[in-house]
Amino acid sequence: MRKSGLAMALLCASALGAQACDITIGMVMELTGPAGAYGQAGAKSVEMAFRDINEAGGVLGCQLVTDTRDSQSQGNVAVDQATQLVNIKNVPVVIGGIISSVSIPILTSVTAPAGVVQVSPASSSPTLTQLSRDGKTGGYFFRTITSDALQGIAAAKYAIDSGLKKLAIIHVNNDFGLNMMREFTASYEALGGEITSATPYNENQPNYSAEVTAAMDGAPEALYLISYPVDGATIARAWISQGGPQKFLLNDGMNSSDFIEAVGGDYLEGAYGTSSGTTETESTKYFYANYEAFSGGIAPSAPAADRSYDAGAIVGLAVAKAGKAEADAIRDAIRSVVDPEGEVIHAGPEQFKKALALIAEGKPVNYQGVIGNVSFDQYGDISGPFRLWQIKGGEVVTAGEMTAEAVAEVKDSIK
């Protein structure tokens, strides 16, 4: 049976500032499997955010701690782990997953039915928006990444502007891959591009030569690969070895040093990619200066790292604002810690100390995140810029940015 808000408050108050109690937040991350690199980076980011809030004094007289579970990049495993966190550990919040094929089953099978807050740092499927529109999330779901409905538009415009006019698509056969393919295709064709083929693949296969052969039909000029680093590398190597043109467009998750090293930087030279972007703030500077040392060597630019810190920070501040470790109160408090009318707060212990003092005084705060200004709409979605990047000399370099306004303009122009 879940602890009542009063019981938790009394427990925390009994610590009398000695930090003798813990408030446990559940985390289901892809620590292993095809998305393992993302989940490892994300988990460390949440831990860093909680570390910073705890150093600022903690919340409700307690320390924030995580109970972190590995989804193994599989939806069924994720559901089992989330069920344990919710039903046995009685957590009021689950942070995760990273990929949509993990977050969606957690949401539909566990958190929404149980009335538990879920915050995904990196699940971008439009299905999550639709679930909210259909009233199936109870308002308990939030994410700190833009929807693929918008990334598909940004990627299509970037491809056309970069001279990629005739593409084959190979995409992972899950909710994320299907939606990304559909959103991109609609925008790309509306902008004058030609899709020669769209080939799905199932994860964790030792060989993808059949999929690559199918994708080469129609003489494409380049390949849009919607994948994750491990399988993506296998597919890219097969594409190259079978004589496919060495021109690539890549989704956000392929911004990975592991992927580049596995394929070979020379073969990916000039490859294009898109990612949810950031608008630099003092939080961005703080995170980039401190994350690598905290994480044990993970680069702050690792996919999901920046927005996972923001997910952790927002959850921690929302617990303080709620005044109790209860899901409904935390859900209702989340938007109030990114209040546009509140006093601007950035990342780090000193800033969080200021935020916690303002919250204790009943004043609004506006946490400006590592990814920039975070503001949730009625569906728990955010909007923001997109980073346009290329692979140069075996490294990912920024080539430009599409603002949220620019994406909206393209969207309006192709309706």
Side-chain angles (χ1 to χ4, degrees), residues 2 10 21 38 46 54 85 109 133 163 185 200 211 218 220 234 256 273 285 292 306 401 404:
R2 194 182 307 279
L10 289 172
C21 60
Y38 311 157
V46 174
N54 290 336
L85 288 170
S109 298
R133 283 199 186 104
T185 297
E211 288 84 354
T234 304
S256 164
K285 296 175 185 176
E292 190 163 358
D306 50 7
E401 180 183 272

Side-chain angles (χ1 to χ4, degrees), residues 5 21 23 28 41 44 50 60 66 69 127 159 192 197 235 241 280 302 329 347 412:
C21 60
I23 293 176
V28 180
K44 284 294 185 183
F50 284 5
L60 310 182
T66 63
R69 307 298 181 91
T127 296
S197 62
I235 294 166
S241 67
E280 188 174 282
D412 290 342

Side-chain angles (χ1 to χ4, degrees), residues 8-22 57 59-63:
M8 179 62 78
L10 289 172
L11 174 62
C12 295
S14 70
L16 296 176
Q19 305 296 339
C21 60
D22 293 334
V59 296
L60 310 182
C62 298
Q63 295 272 285

Side-chain angles (χ1 to χ4, degrees), residues 75-76 78-80 82-83 86-87 94 96-97 99-120 123 125-142 175:
N76 60 332
V79 167
D80 180 60
T83 299
V86 169
N87 292 345
V94 172
I99 57 177
S100 299
S101 56
V102 162
S103 292
I104 291 171
I106 292 175
L107 177 64
T108 56
S109 298
V110 185
T111 54
V116 167
V117 174
Q118 182 180 344
V119 181
S120 170
S123 294
S125 171
T127 296
L128 290 159
T129 305
Q130 193 59 51
L131 287 168
S132 293
R133 283 199 186 104
D134 293 343
K136 295 179 179 178
T137 71
Y140 289 99
F141 182 78
F142 302 84
D175 187 86

Side-chain angles (χ1 to χ4, degrees), residues 28-283:
V28 180
M29 291 289 194
E30 288 69 273
L31 303 179
T32 59
Y38 311 157
Q40 292 169 30
K44 284 294 185 183
S45 295
V46 174
E47 290 168 10
M48 181 177 168
F50 284 5
R51 186 275 313 261
D52 289 347
I53 291 174
N54 290 336
E55 287 188 2
V59 296
L60 310 182
C62 298
Q63 295 272 285
L64 289 168
V65 299
T66 63
D67 186 330
T68 304
R69 307 298 181 91
D70 181 11
S71 74
Q72 302 175 28
S73 302
Q74 299 178 46
N76 60 332
V77 175
V79 167
D80 180 60
Q81 295 298 329
T83 299
Q84 292 181 42
L85 288 170
V86 169
N87 292 345
I88 299 173
K89 295 292 187 175
N90 295 317
V91 298
V93 181
V94 172
I95 298 177
I98 294 291
I99 57 177
S100 299
S101 56
V102 162
S103 292
I104 291 171
I106 292 175
L107 177 64
T108 56
S109 298
V110 185
T111 54
V116 167
V117 174
Q118 182 180 344
V119 181
S120 170
S123 294
S124 51
S125 171
T127 296
L128 290 159
T129 305
Q130 193 59 51
L131 287 168
S132 293
R133 283 199 186 104
D134 293 343
K136 295 179 179 178
T137 71
Y140 289 99
F141 182 78
F142 302 84
R143 55 178 163 177
T144 51
I145 191 170
T146 46
S147 167
D148 286 333
L150 300 178
Q151 185 176 173
I153 295 170
K157 183 68 164 58
Y158 189 31
I160 293 294
D161 290 349
S162 300
L164 304 180
K165 303 292 178 65
K166 189 177 180 182
L167 288 172
I169 300 175
I170 297 179
H171 65 88
V172 60
N173 190 23
N174 62 19
D175 187 86
F176 155 70
L178 287 166
N179 276 297
M180 191 68 171
M181 179 273 293
R182 290 167 181 158
E183 297 291 345
F184 174 84
T185 297
S187 300
Y188 183 71
E189 291 180 341
L191 291 169
E194 178 187 348
I195 302 295
T196 59
S197 62
T199 306
Y201 78 86
N202 294 319
E203 296 176 72
N204 300 316
Q205 301 301 310
N207 186 288
Y208 291 107
S209 59
E211 288 84 354
V212 166
T213 299
M216 286 186 179
D217 188 44
E221 299 170 349
L223 172 66
Y224 184 23
L225 180 54
I226 304 171
S227 185
Y228 308 119
V230 176
D231 289 338
T234 304
I235 294 166
R237 288 195 300 265
W239 177 267
I240 294 163
S241 67
Q242 290 178 223
Q246 290 179 34
K247 288 186 178 180
F248 296 91
L249 179 67
L250 305 167
N251 65 288
D252 52 349
M254 305 303 283
N255 177 356
S256 164
S257 59
D258 290 343
F259 167 72
I260 297 170
E261 290 170 8
V263 177
D266 291 345
Y267 297 109
L268 296 170
E269 184 69 17
Y272 303 92
T274 57
S275 299
S276 289
T278 62
T279 301
E280 188 174 282
T281 67
E282 291 302 313
S283 296

